[in-house]
Amino acid sequence: MARLVSIPRKSFNTTLAGFLGFLMFFPVLWIVILSFKTEGDAIKAPLEILFATGWTVESYGAVQARSDYFKHFTNSVFIAFGSTFLGLLIAVPAAWAMAFVPTKRTKHILMWMLSTKMLPPVGVLVPIYLIFRDTGLLDSRFGLALILMMVNLPIIIWMLYTYFREIPGEILEAARMDGANLNAEIIFVLAPMALPGMASTVLLNIILAWNEAFWTLNLTAAKAAPLTAFIASYSSPEGLFYAKLSAASVMAIAPILALGWLSQKQLVRGLTFGAVK
Amino acid sequence: MISPSVLLLLGWMLVPLCMTLYFSTLRYNLIVPSDNPFVGWENYYWFVTDPSFKAAMFNTLLLVGGVLCITVVGGILFALLLDQPMWGQGLIRIMVISPFFVMPTVSGLVWKNMFMNPVNGIFGHVAQALNLAPVEFFSQIPLLSIILIVSWQWLPFATLILLTALQSLDRDQLEAAEMDGAKSLSRFIYIMIPHLARAITVVILIQTIFLLSIFAEILVTTNGGPGVATTNLTYLIYVSSLLQFDVGMGSAGGVIAIILANIVAIFLMRLIGKNLDA
Amino acid sequence: MMRCLRMQLAAVTLAGVTVSTAMAAEITIATVNNSDMIIMQELSSQWEDATGNSINWVVLEENVLRQRVTTDIATDGGSFDIITIGAYEAPIWGAQDWLVPLEDLGDAYNYADIFEPVRNGLSANGTLYAVPFYAESSFTFYRTDIFEAAGIAEPQEQITYDQFAEIIAAVHDPNNGVYGTCQRGKAGWGENMAFVGPLVNAFGGQWFDMGWNPTIDSPEWKAAVTYYVDLMNAYGPPGASSNGHNENRALFADGKCATWVDATSAAGYIFNPDESSVHDRTGFFQAPKQVTDKGTGWFWAWALSIPASSKQADAAKDFLAWATSQEYVELVGNTKGWVAAPPGTRKSTYDNPEYLAAAPFAPTVLNSILAANPADATLNPVPYTGVQFVAIPEFQGIGNYVGQQISAALAGQQSVDQALANSQQFAVREMTKAGYIK
């Protein structure tokens, strides 16, 4: 039964939510505006900025001249998708085992894994740096994908685990009776049912990997540097730099923002961590 | 049966952990080459007696607690609002979740420069226009400023999860309560909050994991200062390992951080774990 | 003009090719996002064209660069072929054999042209380990129009910090958006401590006594830091505790500061009409003294060097020879305007009439740099060298911590006494840990 709502009430809701939503969104919108202004205009008072007539793309040109955007972009894509792919390879079987063949310790293992995520990365930088140096993974995209996979693995496993658990065991029983082996079980039975959850896991992991700024900065030099390194050269001011900083920021966040917007339905549907029954 | 992948995973996670444990017992400073002698607990002693250590622990708690409060309360309110009928809900939702996609580095830089800069930032301009003294965010209220920035990033996450949970609430139950004459406040307290408990637990758990190691926002805005006002545990470890290049002490700090993280995890599990059947 | 430029290029090219390797190489350069370095990056395509080599650039903010480069060089990671380091790192790292000696950059490379203090500052045990890209001391920038309006003449002799404070009080005019003085407040041994260090020297203080015992709780430190905090609170811009060199430079260029004691290398920026709104209204005088004039102007150089782990040392040397040559300075002068030429490293720059015409500050800068003496920068004898830093590996940690404490005092979060007591305690800890204090 649909609820009947008066027009004024609905207008009020819309106005309030729209206003608050706009406030949340405003910083993003603001850097987009600033990025198309001249440096001189970009530090004026907000209203002056808005009504300053000059619009320009010169900041984008200046940013591009300093470091090649497309190289960094490609690296970001490779690292984000690569780490997600590697993560799924390990996480799907692991979460499967935990969900369907739980032992007494499963819960503890899960919690322990999650707690490793609280280890500040900087505490293990030197060990990892040494390992990477000796294995030739320094400044390689594969190395970064590997490390980010490891960083995000606990979250992926946990998310998948919660989705898998919601799949009724009887279906698997039935499949097994029909003679399905383990792989077939995963591929034909489990996967389709867990698909929405997997999609959301994949998306979240891509977002986290894209935005990860410690490992990507400290394990790369020139070849594998992604967009987080691209933005790092703007982190201290250099005279008038608001427009350039805005342009670089927009370039760094636009792809993931677009992906997030396009896929928000999938992301939201699965982003429940088993919180919704 | 434990699948091989779990073993692989455990091994994969144990290697750096063991190396960190090992390094934490050495006198190992990157910029003072030596043969890195074994020194036992010395690094732990130096780390714990560091004058910034206590402040860092306290700041970590404040930061995590502050952001959790803002995002959970704000998230519930936002979710309740977005759950109401309205026009253009899709667009509004897109606006609300946008901060979640922004890199921590970028959001730190943008807030620091374009908003909180007392001379050229928007808040500074607004204060000037109103003839008020501009708030010096990073000197007067440094930790609160960081909390606000981080909350901006995580509020969408809390809102989304809570909204999804809210939407799964049985409408008939609510309407029945409404017919019985229950006030909206009591509907909220007796029906919605219990229903949201699980989702709130999840929000708290996931966010705690990420908030305990907040780093980029502090690095680009305050560098842990002024003084140690915004130094959290992660930042203190960063200071040891990458500003003083004392790998031994940094590793000791890392080990301490993971022990504390486990304590927090156990605490969380005990306190709210019954909401999770994981 | 075009032809002249092309000949210039040809000269640079020739100088560059002499040492170049036969095979095209790909080198990775880590550098800081200073405007001089950004210009170097823009012009480097000429070197690439001339030699056939190619360059991967890693441009980072100063602190990130330092942490990145140190991690790599100390673990022998080999990620970079050329790194940008400062006068603090060069002698320490050179002595540890982390850097390739740079005594053999070819016959065309004019070593004698480099100022001797700069060369000494980048050498360890008499061997040059880094070649200077630009060098700087510190002096006082001031706004000539504001001084004139307040009836203050440009000081001819070195004034004291007390006199400096009187001047600042007279020119402070926040209602018209001009603050009496802008000084660094952002914590860091290379940020606020670069100003506070020489200030302490001027007040007769020092970091350590001859037995390496920290002396940060001395009356001299207290006098200097109290002066600094009071001055900034009374006449500084809002939010001063988060302003570093770059923030202040932007404020000064934007006309918001009447005085500013900072790097001489910023003069090229302040006097550049494209970058600064006060380029025609800025003057300069020596950094003030107080009880002593020793160590009142700092010494710093940004230099290029090659990690011992580089596999492309030959191509890297070739690039160094190009980027720090007299010809490169001329190339910048001719393409970007002489005011933007990298300062402070070569006599030839200061003999060049075009540079002197474009850069009215040149003689003062030169005097400041030649006067800065890292080997004798304090009133009382000390066991270390360095004006605004102490050339030991442990200094970064101590300097950063003290910087944080003073920054907190500036922000009003604690008293000066508290800040200095904490700093002293920390320094004693660190020096004990490192084995200086038994």
Side-chain angles (χ1 to χ4, degrees):
Chain A
M1 175 176 128
R3 282 185 292 177
L4 293 175
V5 180
S6 65
I7 297 286
R9 170 112 187 262
K10 205 168 166 184
S11 314
F12 174 77
N13 288 340
T14 310
T15 318
L16 185 63
F19 175 71
L20 292 175
F22 182 76
L23 278 190
M24 288 292 285
F25 182 61
F26 182 72
V28 177
L29 181 67
W30 191 240
I31 56 171
V32 175
I33 294 175
L34 288 187
S35 71
F36 289 106
K37 293 290 181 182
T38 62
E39 293 291 0
D41 282 342
I43 57 160
K44 289 186 177 152
L47 286 179
E48 285 178 55
I49 294 177
L50 223 43
F51 295 112
T53 42
W55 294 89
T56 169
V57 292
E58 67 182 24
S59 299
Y60 286 91
V63 169
Q64 173 66 20
R66 186 186 302 183
S67 35
D68 183 26
Y69 176 70
F70 295 100
K71 188 186 83 181
H72 291 88
F73 170 77
T74 325
N75 285 338
S76 271
V77 171
F78 184 96
I79 292 163
F81 284 79
S83 75
T84 308
F85 177 73
L86 289 177
L88 283 183
L89 278 189
I90 294 189
V92 171
W96 182 89
M98 289 181 178
F100 296 113
V101 202
T103 65
K104 270 201 304 239
R105 274 184 287 279
T106 299
K107 197 168 151 184
H108 295 283
I109 294 179
L110 210 54
M111 270 330 277
W112 181 75
M113 275 178 4
L114 277 175
S115 76
T116 60
K117 192 129 179 53
M118 302 186 214
L119 170 70
V122 51
V124 283
L125 174 63
V126 170
I128 297 279
Y129 206 89
L130 293 175
I131 296 176
F132 269 48
R133 180 198 63 189
D134 295 339
T135 49
L137 287 174
L138 273 183
D139 199 18
S140 77
R141 298 191 287 190
F142 177 71
L144 271 189
L146 208 58
I147 197 86
L148 291 190
M149 179 271 276
M150 192 170 104
V151 167
N152 290 327
L153 202 52
I155 294 282
I156 307 191
I157 292 187
W158 191 31
M159 281 181 81
L160 289 177
Y161 169 79
T162 56
Y163 302 133
F164 288 171
R165 272 179 60 91
E166 281 165 29
I167 296 170
E170 301 85 58
I171 295 185
L172 288 183
E173 295 289 322
R176 223 168 278 164
M177 301 270 244
D178 293 346
N181 64 15
L182 190 63
N183 287 336
E185 192 178 303
I186 291 181
I187 294 170
F188 296 111
V189 185
L190 212 51
M193 298 192 67
L195 215 52
M198 303 243 296
S200 147
T201 310
V202 165
L203 284 168
L204 183 71
N205 195 60
I206 290 174
I207 294 167
L208 291 176
W210 187 279
N211 291 341
E212 205 287 329
F214 181 79
W215 293 113
T216 49
L217 201 56
N218 281 292
L219 296 178
T220 62
K223 290 189 209 73
L227 288 168
T228 42
F230 177 80
I231 198 80
S233 83
Y234 296 90
S235 62
S236 78
E238 22 180 301
L240 300 178
F241 78 121
Y242 280 15
K244 279 196 279 291
L245 170 62
S246 301
S249 301
V250 170
M251 288 159 97
I253 63 174
I256 202 72
L257 205 55
L259 180 73
W261 285 346
L262 290 177
S263 59
Q264 58 126 344
K265 282 229 170 67
Q266 286 72 27
L267 182 65
V268 173
R269 196 184 304 146
L271 201 62
T272 59
F273 296 90
V276 177
K277 272 280 157 83
Chain B
M1 181 193 96
I2 296 181
S3 91
S5 47
V6 177
L7 284 179
L8 181 71
L9 175 71
L10 288 177
W12 183 223
M13 292 174 140
L14 278 175
V15 171
L17 198 64
C18 292
M19 284 183 80
T20 306
L21 273 172
Y22 170 62
F23 283 155
S24 73
T25 60
L26 302 181
R27 175 173 301 143
Y28 182 9
N29 191 313
L30 277 185
I31 46 176
V32 190
S34 71
D35 46 4
N36 305 334
F38 178 82
V39 292
W41 295 102
E42 195 182 289
N43 288 315
Y44 291 89
Y45 168 77
W46 288 117
F47 191 83
V48 174
T49 57
D50 188 311
S52 321
F53 180 70
K54 234 185 280 169
M57 296 284 293
F58 191 60
N59 289 337
T60 309
L61 288 181
L62 271 184
L63 183 57
V64 174
V67 175
L68 281 181
C69 282
I70 295 182
T71 51
V72 169
V73 173
I76 291 175
L77 295 179
F78 242 133
L80 283 175
L81 179 62
L82 288 179
D83 193 35
Q84 303 291 319
M86 65 181 67
W87 292 290
Q89 200 185 28
L91 180 69
I92 292 172
R93 195 165 63 181
I94 278 185
M95 292 202 294
V96 171
I97 64 172
S98 293
F100 185 62
F101 304 123
V102 177
M103 296 180 187
T105 330
V106 169
S107 77
L109 285 173
V110 167
W111 279 96
K112 176 192 180 188
N113 290 296
M114 282 77 161
F115 289 87
M116 293 176 168
N117 181 311
V119 179
N120 288 328
I122 287 195
F123 296 146
H125 281 298
V126 170
Q128 254 168 17
L130 298 175
N131 246 334
L132 298 169
V135 180
E136 300 173 21
F137 285 92
F138 294 113
S139 12
Q140 290 169 343
I141 45 167
L143 191 59
L144 184 61
S145 306
I146 304 266
I147 290 178
L148 289 177
I149 296 175
V150 176
S151 299
W152 177 71
Q153 290 175 274
W154 283 98
L155 186 57
F157 177 80
T159 308
L160 276 189
I161 290 196
L162 293 168
L163 181 61
T164 320
L166 207 54
Q167 282 168 343
S168 73
L169 183 58
D170 191 354
R171 293 287 162 202
D172 295 339
Q173 200 188 349
L174 266 186
E175 276 162 28
E178 206 168 352
M179 302 236 186
D180 291 345
K183 294 247 162 42
S184 47
L185 186 65
S186 50
R187 282 210 305 274
F188 175 71
I189 292 178
Y190 295 110
I191 299 177
M192 287 185 176
I193 288 290
H195 180 77
L196 287 180
R198 235 175 106 79
I200 294 175
T201 313
V202 166
V203 169
I204 291 178
L205 194 62
I206 297 269
Q207 287 200 20
T208 307
I209 291 170
F210 283 91
L211 298 179
L212 276 175
S213 48
I214 287 284
F215 172 71
E217 293 86 344
I218 297 175
L219 180 72
V220 299
T221 53
T222 61
N223 278 311
V228 288
T230 53
T231 298
N232 66 356
L233 204 52
T234 307
Y235 196 83
L236 188 65
I237 296 171
Y238 163 78
V239 170
S240 303
S241 21
L242 282 185
L243 292 180
Q244 298 168 13
F245 297 105
D246 191 335
V247 178
M249 201 163 104
S251 302
V255 173
I256 290 174
I258 201 162
I259 292 172
L260 291 175
N262 272 290
I263 294 175
V264 172
I266 292 168
F267 179 71
L268 277 178
M269 285 303 285
R270 285 276 153 78
L271 193 70
I272 50 183
K274 46 185 179 299
N275 283 322
L276 281 179
D277 60 350
Chain C
M1 184 64 207
M2 244 352 252
R3 241 199 42 224
C4 165
L5 214 154
R6 231 174 258 142
M7 277 164 65
Q8 210 60 265
L9 289 190
V12 174
T13 314
L14 272 178
V17 173
T18 45
V19 213
S20 101
T21 43
M23 287 237 294
E26 192 178 328
I27 58 171
T28 303
I29 304 181
T31 191
V32 65
N33 63 337
N34 287 346
S35 50
D36 296 271
M37 307 301 181
I38 304 281
I39 292 177
M40 170 171 79
Q41 191 189 345
E42 283 170 25
L43 296 176
S44 66
S45 58
Q46 301 190 355
W47 178 81
E48 290 176 291
D49 293 344
T51 59
N53 296 334
S54 57
I55 304 176
N56 292 315
W57 288 94
V58 180
V59 184
L60 297 168
E61 185 262 328
E62 183 174 339
N63 287 324
V64 181
L65 175 81
R66 191 169 278 130
Q67 104 193 20
R68 198 55 203 85
V69 163
T70 310
T71 316
D72 194 68
I73 202 165
T75 57
D76 208 15
S79 297
F80 306 109
D81 300 301
I82 294 178
I83 54 179
T84 306
I85 58 176
Y88 168 71
E89 289 94 354
I92 300 176
W93 293 6
Q96 285 166 356
D97 288 329
W98 285 351
L99 303 172
V100 175
L102 298 176
E103 301 283 355
D104 54 343
L105 291 180
D107 299 335
Y109 193 78
N110 191 351
Y111 285 101
D113 192 36
I114 302 174
F115 291 123
E116 203 172 331
V118 179
R119 225 166 45 202
N120 290 342
L122 300 173
S123 301
N125 309 323
T127 306
L128 188 68
Y129 282 101
V131 281
F133 190 73
Y134 69 81
E136 64 187 32
S137 180
S138 57
F139 64 8
T140 315
F141 296 81
Y142 78 96
R143 286 276 298 284
T144 50
D145 53 336
I146 296 176
F147 270 47
E148 210 167 293
I152 298 167
E154 175 180 312
Q156 297 303 313
E157 299 287 306
Q158 189 174 19
I159 58 172
T160 65
Y161 272 105
D162 288 335
Q163 291 167 320
F164 187 52
E166 285 167 26
I167 294 177
I168 288 169
V171 294
H172 184 57
D173 188 10
N175 292 332
N176 290 317
V178 178
Y179 302 100
T181 192
C182 298
Q183 306 297 350
R184 300 179 178 192
K186 185 182 187 173
W189 68 266
E191 285 284 8
N192 61 348
M193 294 318 290
F195 175 74
V196 173
L199 180 73
V200 169
N201 292 341
F203 277 73
Q206 64 207 41
W207 281 94
F208 303 102
D209 66 15
M210 287 304 284
W212 286 108
N213 297 301
T215 56
I216 304 170
D217 54 358
S218 64
E220 290 83 9
W221 270 84
K222 189 181 174 193
V225 175
T226 307
Y227 171 89
Y228 163 76
V229 170
D230 291 349
L231 186 78
M232 294 306 291
N233 283 338
Y235 310 116
S241 67
S242 41
N243 289 348
H245 167 78
N246 287 314
E247 287 86 351
N248 282 325
R249 194 178 67 185
L251 284 172
F252 193 90
D254 200 24
K256 297 227 170 13
C257 314
T259 61
W260 176 39
V261 179
D262 213 301
T264 54
S265 61
Y269 178 93
I270 296 296
F271 281 85
N272 187 343
D274 295 337
E275 309 270 10
S276 152
S277 65
V278 296
H279 62 95
D280 52 352
R281 296 177 278 157
T282 299
F284 35 84
F285 53 87
Q286 235 181 321
K289 61 180 178 179
Q290 186 71 1
V291 302
T292 176
D293 59 355
K294 276 177 154 187
T296 50
W298 73 60
F299 171 76
W300 185 252
W302 275 115
L304 302 176
S305 60
I306 306 172
S309 54
S310 164
K311 294 170 198 73
Q312 305 281 358
D314 288 336
K317 278 184 186 170
D318 189 47
F319 181 82
L320 294 195
W322 175 79
T324 62
S325 65
Q326 180 180 346
E327 290 78 11
Y328 174 81
V329 176
E330 283 163 12
L331 176 66
V332 176
N334 288 326
T335 51
K336 301 282 171 182
W338 273 97
V339 75
T345 57
R346 290 184 165 271
K347 292 190 190 92
S348 52
T349 312
Y350 290 82
D351 291 338
N352 187 317
E354 285 184 275
Y355 181 64
L356 295 178
F361 47 84
T364 318
V365 170
L366 183 59
N367 288 338
S368 304
I369 290 177
L370 295 181
N373 185 358
D376 181 24
T378 50
L379 183 62
N380 299 312
V382 288
Y384 58 85
T385 62
V387 181
Q388 78 280 23
F389 58 81
V390 178
I392 56 170
E394 291 78 12
F395 176 73
Q396 302 196 52
I398 297 174
N400 282 327
Y401 185 85
V402 178
Q404 283 286 24
Q405 292 299 315
I406 291 179
S407 170
L410 179 60
Q413 305 222 331
Q414 62 180 358
S415 68
V416 171
D417 285 333
Q418 189 61 50
L420 295 181
N422 289 349
S423 301
Q424 172 75 8
Q425 189 199 352
F426 184 84
V428 170
R429 245 175 72 88
E430 290 300 303
M431 295 305 275
T432 311
K433 199 166 83 179
Y436 287 84
I437 304 176
K438 294 289 183 290

